[in-house]
Amino acid sequence: MNPALITLIRLQSRAFVRRMVHGAASPRRAIFLALGVGVVVLWLGQLLFTTVAVRNGHGHGRQLSPQEFRVFAPLGLLGICVLTIVSSAADKAIAFTPGEVDMLFPGPFTRRQLLGYKLLKSALAAMITALFLSLALLPFASAWAACYVGVYLTLMFIQLFSTAGVLVGQAIGQRAQTLVRRVVLGAALLAGLLLARNWIAAHGGVEAVFAFRDSTLGEAILKPFDAFGRAMTAGDTPEFVGAALEAAAIDAGLIAIVMMLDANFVEAALAASRRRYAIMRRIRSGTLLGSGVMGDVKWHLPPPPWAGGAGPIAWRQATAAARSSRGLLFLLLVITIVLGPLAASVVRTAEVGQFLLGGIVWLTILLSQMLKFDFRGDLDHIDQLKSLPLRPAALAVGQLAVPTLILTGAHLLLLLSVAVAVKSQRQMLIAAACLALPFNAMLMAIENLIFLLFPTRPVAASPGDFQVLGRQVVQLVLKAIAVMSGCVLAFLIAVPFYLLAGGSMIVLMAIAGIVMTGQTCALVPAIAWAYRRFDPSLDTPS
Amino acid sequence: MPQLVDASDCPYNPVVDAQTPSAGTIPTIVVQEFHKSYDQTVAVQGLSFTVSPGQILGLLGPNGAGKTTTMRAICGIIPPTHGRLMVAGHDVAADPVRAKQELAYVPDDPHLFDTLTVWEHLQFVAAAYRVPNFEPAANRLIELFELTEKRDTVAQELSRGMRQKVAICCAYIHDPKAIVLDEPLTGLDPRGIRTMKQSLRDRAAGGAAVLVSSHLLALVEDLCTDLLIVHHGRRLFFGPVSEARAAFAGLDKDASLEELFFRATEVPPTPSLTS
């Protein structure tokens, strides 16, 4: 491989370590790092404890023995490979970052050198991933070292299989340009699908899988996968060496295939890199479910009212939400169609409350992370926002308005769906509806306050990036504490009124809603303060 | 400790250090003793200058000289560590809303709102600056910058140059008294460059104070009435372009701005300058 590419990998590895170590220089990042390490240590500790307990016969429930795991591992691996092929069918490209595309593609490197660089990077990343996975799979293994090597070789196999699949796909695509070739290819694909369908029809769902495993064809197909399971679960050194060498030989064979194929992957990788970057941007701006607005737009929202300066901001966010809401509307439609009838048919009347609470919590967590039509989606526009002649408090209100209203709309839709389907518990549903707007306003205020104090970007975290993990844990815990405190306070104040009103749920929720509204009003100056103190030159995360 | 250049390093003759703007009226932009530091690094150290109505001040300096930091501070985007920044008589720190009302800023790489159209950007900015009946002015601007065909196109579909034009149109829509532009010509085509330069001259002639940062020395020479050269966060020269050459020893009166720039920012201090 080109020495420059090896240097690049060395520098990137050093940068990864530097980011981890230097990141701990500031107190805030040191806390994130410590918490991230703490979470991982706790998780690993729990895994080791379970493993030891199982081996000493103190574990709860039945766990797979290494022998049983060995039987299922090839099937699992085959499933992963099939999924990889299916999932990459629409995106036949090797993943390069935009930086790699801009810096390496025009560089003096051959396609094989670039492939080698990509594979070496994957191999290094797999070393860290294997560390965690091997600990997670320890209960099924006889020795950790064997498990680690087995998992590492398996991860490499999956990566190499995926890369080979992509390159084979491109090679076939390049060669299947004529109509006759396309027809032959399509016919072969159709025949394969028909065979699979007939097999499943003859044997039934899960049984078809086991029948496949025991058939001659199944044994032949699963044979290459078998070595990986044996390497992970080897009981003694000779068995491990034999299985590991077999698995390593399979990986080496795949590397040879990948290198020999030498398909022209560059253009596809370029396009895929752009697509992935666009998706990342949409995740960051909270428009992941968007339809990807293209070209000219024929409709506009009416001009905004001034509203102390909040109007134009809310109008801008509302326009962005409306433009990219097709996916969101679909999601809400599914919720409406599914959850209401589901509540009516599956859940007993007495349990509707629990079902509803679960549904609301799930919907809230899901949507509150998706609806970034506020400061969270405006991280790259803070300069523009700060140069506008608007008071920070007004700007904060404008930013909170749209996600709050959309989330409230989703909640009301869910409640309506359940009300129509269940036809009981009307008082509880009305009471919950009373609380939707104030609760969501408070939630969004907390989300934005924490974001402005601890600004982050969604990043593709590398394995072992404890700081990212720690940051996510801190933010989650902070949010949970703040939201819970707000709710507890609101209900503590509301309970006496509830008792005075003879146990009226509507009174309870209405008073709690008023208190939550008060809390949101109190949070607006705090958000404005956090926005004022946000220094884009210091606080904008990379 | 902060890393600073010694004041004696500046190859600049203090006698020619003009504080008075060429237009000779009450300054629209006033920067007094502006400091900005980040932990151990000092980005800008004691910078003072003014920009008056009609004046086009070219802000020059090598990369990392503190130009963008200064511009962002004037626009109220980042707070100064020390010093006072005024726009149209309003203190940017004490009265930011009124200061920003009179100001327009075009960053070097403007991030537009991806899902808004060109027209909606103007609509939004007009609403934020409370511009009544903005449509005629907006139409004139998009016509001037050849964006008429892209009026209803969303920003993410625009090229780099077109996004720059949209940002410039947004900056002009409220007739600002102070215009701050960071590398305004990036991505513009030749016609766009000509339109941009002429529009800046027109705005200045109409009474706006313009501050332009650029590495394109030909642009600065062609457009600016005054120069501010900064290096390592400190001022090396501030005054009319016509007086710049005389300010540095060893430069003849026909020296190009490029020679002047290198002389100002690279020549080590000579005894005659520091004594």
Side-chain angles (χ1 to χ4, degrees):
Chain A
M1 200 167 74
N2 192 304
L5 294 172
I6 294 173
T7 307
L8 178 62
I9 290 176
R10 189 168 51 79
L11 292 172
Q12 285 174 331
S13 308
R14 208 163 70 184
F16 174 72
V17 175
R18 188 173 57 226
R19 198 172 52 150
M20 295 268 290
V21 176
H22 284 207
S26 78
R28 188 195 292 180
R29 288 179 179 174
I31 291 169
F32 289 148
L33 184 62
L35 277 164
V37 171
V39 167
V40 171
V41 167
L42 276 176
W43 174 65
L44 293 180
Q46 181 261 331
L47 277 176
L48 289 173
F49 178 78
T50 310
T51 306
V52 172
V54 167
R55 286 190 179 163
N56 292 336
H58 303 303
H60 296 290
R62 187 182 172 278
Q63 276 197 291
L64 289 178
S65 68
Q67 286 70 31
E68 287 169 317
F69 181 80
R70 197 178 292 189
V71 172
F72 288 103
L75 273 174
L77 206 50
L78 177 67
I80 291 172
C81 289
V82 171
L83 270 179
T84 307
I85 291 172
V86 171
S87 63
S88 64
D91 196 12
K92 287 198 185 308
I94 297 166
F96 284 89
T97 64
E100 286 169 337
V101 167
D102 288 348
M103 304 293 287
L104 299 183
F105 282 22
F109 309 113
T110 63
R111 288 199 296 261
R112 283 189 177 134
Q113 284 174 333
L114 290 176
L115 263 182
Y117 158 81
K118 208 67 209 169
L119 293 179
L120 186 56
K121 257 183 92 171
S122 305
L124 291 173
M127 281 182 178
I128 304 172
T129 312
L131 187 67
F132 296 110
L133 268 180
S134 63
L135 288 166
L137 293 173
L138 202 51
F140 315 116
S142 304
W144 175 76
C147 186
Y148 176 80
V149 174
V151 168
Y152 178 74
L153 290 168
T154 308
L155 288 173
M156 282 309 296
F157 173 79
I158 294 168
Q159 175 62 46
L160 288 164
F161 185 85
S162 160
T163 307
V166 166
L167 292 176
V168 166
Q170 280 174 3
I172 291 173
Q174 283 165 14
R175 286 168 178 78
Q177 292 305 316
T178 65
L179 185 65
V180 176
R181 284 175 181 170
R182 279 184 187 174
V183 170
V184 170
L185 205 65
L189 200 68
L190 196 66
L193 284 172
L194 281 172
L195 272 175
R197 197 189 73 103
N198 290 343
W199 183 273
I200 292 168
H203 295 86
V206 181
E207 285 73 21
V209 177
F210 291 114
F212 170 73
R213 186 192 63 189
D214 298 331
S215 68
T216 316
L217 179 70
E219 274 180 16
I221 290 175
L222 290 173
K223 185 73 184 157
F225 301 103
D226 186 48
F228 297 95
R230 280 191 284 120
M232 276 187 250
T233 55
D236 52 47
T237 310
E239 189 192 8
F240 165 70
V241 172
L245 281 176
E246 207 179 311
I250 292 169
D251 283 354
L254 276 175
I255 291 175
I257 290 171
V258 164
M259 288 300 176
M260 272 163 45
L261 275 169
D262 192 30
N264 192 358
F265 62 86
V266 174
E267 197 175 342
L270 194 84
S273 163
R274 285 196 187 128
R275 276 199 300 276
R276 288 193 188 100
Y277 183 61
I279 289 171
M280 205 65 202
R281 278 181 61 196
R282 283 164 67 187
I283 291 172
R284 287 173 175 176
S285 62
T287 56
L288 180 64
L289 285 177
S291 50
V293 194
M294 302 289 276
D296 288 1
V297 172
K298 303 291 179 211
W299 60 270
H300 309 275
L301 287 180
W306 173 241
I313 298 293
W315 173 84
R316 179 180 65 80
Q317 295 287 20
T319 302
R323 293 266 155 81
S324 51
S325 62
R326 223 179 288 171
L328 190 69
L329 285 175
F330 177 73
L331 181 75
L332 293 178
L333 199 67
V334 169
I335 290 164
T336 316
I337 293 167
V338 172
L339 284 184
L342 193 72
S345 60
V346 177
V347 183
R348 284 186 306 226
T349 311
E351 291 169 350
V352 166
Q354 284 176 4
F355 175 85
L356 200 60
L357 187 67
I360 286 175
V361 168
W362 170 77
L363 194 64
T364 307
I365 292 171
L366 185 77
L367 287 186
S368 65
Q369 294 311 306
M370 285 178 162
L371 299 168
K372 290 182 180 174
F373 303 110
D374 49 24
F375 283 114
R376 293 171 297 164
D378 264 345
L379 195 55
D380 289 327
H381 300 122
I382 295 283
D383 272 27
Q384 280 142 295
L385 293 178
K386 279 197 171 247
S387 68
L388 293 175
L390 302 175
R391 285 182 300 111
L395 200 136
V397 171
Q399 292 280 40
L400 296 181
V402 172
T404 302
L405 289 176
I406 296 176
L407 193 53
T408 303
H411 282 156
L412 293 180
L413 211 56
L414 172 65
L415 293 171
L416 187 69
S417 154
V418 174
V420 169
V422 174
K423 294 188 174 62
S424 66
Q425 309 270 354
R426 287 283 161 84
Q427 204 191 17
M428 185 187 71
L429 293 172
I430 293 169
C434 289
L435 205 60
L437 184 63
F439 173 80
N440 290 328
M442 185 183 75
L443 176 71
M444 284 301 155
I446 289 168
E447 283 272 7
N448 278 273
L449 179 61
I450 290 174
F451 174 77
L452 286 170
L453 293 175
F454 304 99
T456 51
R457 276 185 202 279
V459 287
S462 322
D465 199 339
F466 296 124
Q467 218 182 80
V468 172
L469 182 66
R471 194 186 297 145
Q472 286 168 349
V473 169
V474 169
Q475 291 190 334
L476 206 66
V477 169
L478 270 178
K479 272 180 221 168
I481 291 173
V483 173
M484 290 299 285
S485 306
C487 291
V488 167
L489 181 68
F491 280 102
L492 277 178
I493 294 171
V495 162
F497 293 92
Y498 165 74
L499 295 173
L500 280 172
S504 165
M505 281 290 281
I506 292 176
V507 169
L508 177 78
M509 296 295 196
I511 299 293
I514 290 168
V515 177
M516 284 180 189
T517 307
Q519 288 172 338
T520 308
C521 292
L523 280 169
V524 168
I527 297 169
W529 165 81
Y531 168 70
R532 260 198 309 271
R533 73 170 277 288
F534 187 101
D535 184 339
S537 59
L538 290 175
D539 297 326
T540 305
S542 54
Chain B
M1 285 295 292
Q3 299 293 308
L4 293 173
V5 255
D6 193 296
S8 62
D9 286 354
C10 304
Y12 168 59
N13 183 354
V15 178
V16 199
D17 181 5
Q19 281 287 346
T20 49
S22 39
T25 49
I26 299 165
T28 307
I29 299 173
V30 178
V31 175
Q32 288 177 340
E33 282 300 307
F34 167 56
H35 294 247
K36 182 67 185 179
S37 53
Y38 303 103
D39 297 327
Q40 300 296 303
T41 310
V42 173
V44 181
Q45 165 79 2
L47 191 63
S48 297
F49 65 92
T50 59
V51 194
S52 296
Q55 197 178 359
I56 303 177
L57 178 67
L59 178 52
L60 293 180
N63 293 330
K67 303 185 298 293
T68 300
T69 301
T70 304
M71 292 182 148
R72 291 170 98 192
I74 291 169
C75 301
I77 295 166
I78 56 171
T81 309
H82 301 295
R84 195 166 189 220
L85 302 135
M86 308 274 287
V87 174
H90 306 292
D91 190 313
V92 175
D95 194 1
V97 174
R98 293 182 73 179
K100 289 171 188 177
Q101 186 69 49
E102 309 293 354
L103 183 99
Y105 173 53
V106 180
D108 59 339
D109 183 13
H111 291 284
L112 300 183
F113 301 109
D114 283 348
T115 50
L116 297 196
T117 63
V118 170
W119 182 258
E120 284 169 344
H121 273 85
L122 291 162
Q123 191 180 348
F124 167 64
V125 173
Y129 285 85
R130 307 192 79 175
V131 182
N133 191 25
F134 76 99
E135 288 89 350
N139 276 321
R140 272 197 304 276
L141 281 169
I142 61 171
E143 197 177 329
L144 181 67
F145 283 95
E146 297 176 310
L147 289 167
T148 311
E149 284 180 16
K150 299 287 177 186
R151 188 182 186 275
D152 293 319
T153 303
V154 288
Q156 66 187 11
E157 291 280 297
L158 300 176
S159 68
R160 171 74 177 82
M162 283 184 185
R163 281 189 278 128
Q164 185 77 10
K165 287 178 180 177
V166 175
I168 293 162
C169 291
C170 289
Y172 286 168
I173 191 78
H174 64 289
D175 275 331
K177 289 181 181 167
I179 303 171
V180 178
L181 305 112
D182 198 352
E183 293 290 353
L185 301 188
T186 311
L188 294 184
D189 55 25
R191 189 178 293 277
I193 290 173
R194 181 187 282 183
T195 308
M196 176 73 206
K197 288 197 308 198
Q198 191 52 47
S199 72
L200 281 177
R201 285 193 192 100
D202 293 345
R203 295 268 155 186
V210 182
L211 175 61
V212 186
S213 162
S214 181
H215 291 299
L216 301 173
L217 299 179
L219 163 80
V220 174
E221 196 151 31
D222 179 33
L223 191 67
C224 299
T225 58
D226 293 76
L227 275 186
L228 171 63
I229 304 176
V230 290
H231 192 25
H232 292 306
R234 306 196 71 172
R235 192 179 78 188
L236 298 185
F237 174 80
F238 171 54
V241 175
S242 55
E243 293 176 14
R245 288 163 186 87
F248 296 94
L251 278 179
D252 62 53
K253 62 180 172 48
D254 297 324
S256 68
L257 190 57
E258 187 178 275
E259 286 173 291
L260 168 68
F261 179 80
F262 286 122
R263 174 84 184 110
T265 55
E266 286 186 358
V267 169
T270 58
S272 62
L273 284 169
T274 53
S275 60

